[in-house]
C-alpha cells in the first residue's frame, strides 16, 4: 500500500513538473540565458515550500510512512566539494536541458531520447561511487 502512495506522489510530481513547464528545455534555456523569471520563480517557490515543510516536520515531529521519526542530520561544510558538485550538476543540467526530476517527467510525457541522458546520469552516479573516497571532503 505504501508503494501505491509513492507512485501517486510521483505521478502528481510529474504532472506538476510538466504543467508548470519546469521540464521544458526552452524554459531551462531561458533561465540559463537570464531571459525570463519563470524557472527562478518555480525554484524559489520550491525552496520556500521546502523550508516551511522541513520546519513543520521538525516542529510537529512528523513520522515517515513506516512510522519512523524523520531526522535531519547536519551536513559537513566543505566549500570545494559543493563548488565542484554544483559545477558538474549545472553543466549537466545545461547540456541535457533537464535535471533528475524533469528527466523522468519527460520519459512519462513520451520524450524517449531523454533515456540517453538518464543512462548517462546512472553511469555518472556509478562512477561517483568508484571515486567518492578520493574526492575532497
Amino acid at each position: 500500500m505504501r508503494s501505491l502512495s509513492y507512485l501517486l506522489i510521483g505521478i502528481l510530481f510529474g504532472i506538476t513538473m510538466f504543467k508548470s513547464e519546469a521540464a521544458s528545455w526552452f524554459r531551462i534555456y531561458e533561465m540559463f540565458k537570464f531571459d525570463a523569471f519563470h524557472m527562478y520563480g518555480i525554484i524559489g517557490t520550491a525552496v520556500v515550500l521546502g523550508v516551511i515543510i522541513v520546519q513543520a516536520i521538525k516542529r510537529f515531529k512528523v513520522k515517515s510512512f513506516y512510522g519512523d521519526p524523520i531526522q535531519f542530520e547536519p551536513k559537513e561544510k566543505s566549500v570545494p566539494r559543493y563548488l565542484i558538485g554544483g559545477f558538474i550538476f549545472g553543466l549537466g543540467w545545461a547540456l541535457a536541458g533537464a535535471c533528475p526530476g524533469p528527466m523522468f517527467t519527460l520519459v512519462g510525457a513520451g520524450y524517449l531520447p531523454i533515456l540517453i541522458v538518464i543512462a548517462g546520469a546512472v553511469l555518472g552516479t556509478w562512477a561517483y561511487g568508484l571515486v567518492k573516497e578520493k574526492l575532497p571532503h
Side-chain angles (χ1 to χ4, degrees), residues 44-79:
T45 302
V47 169
V48 169
L49 281 173
V51 168
I52 292 168
I53 290 168
V54 166
Q55 292 306 314
I57 288 170
K58 288 179 177 179
R59 178 165 292 153
F60 300 113
K61 301 189 184 338
V62 176
K63 296 186 185 279
S64 73
F65 281 127
Y66 301 105
D68 300 326
I70 298 173
Q71 298 177 358
F72 297 93
E73 302 295 329
K75 292 188 174 206
E76 71 177 69
K77 308 277 192 279
S78 171
V79 174

Side-chain angles (χ1 to χ4, degrees), residues 76-115:
E76 71 177 69
K77 308 277 192 279
S78 171
V79 174
R81 176 181 178 172
Y82 292 116
L83 283 176
I84 294 167
F87 177 78
I88 293 169
F89 181 84
L91 183 62
W93 191 9
L95 291 173
C99 64
M103 288 187 327
F104 293 100
T105 299
L106 290 169
V107 170
Y111 297 95
L112 298 183
I114 200 72
L115 289 172

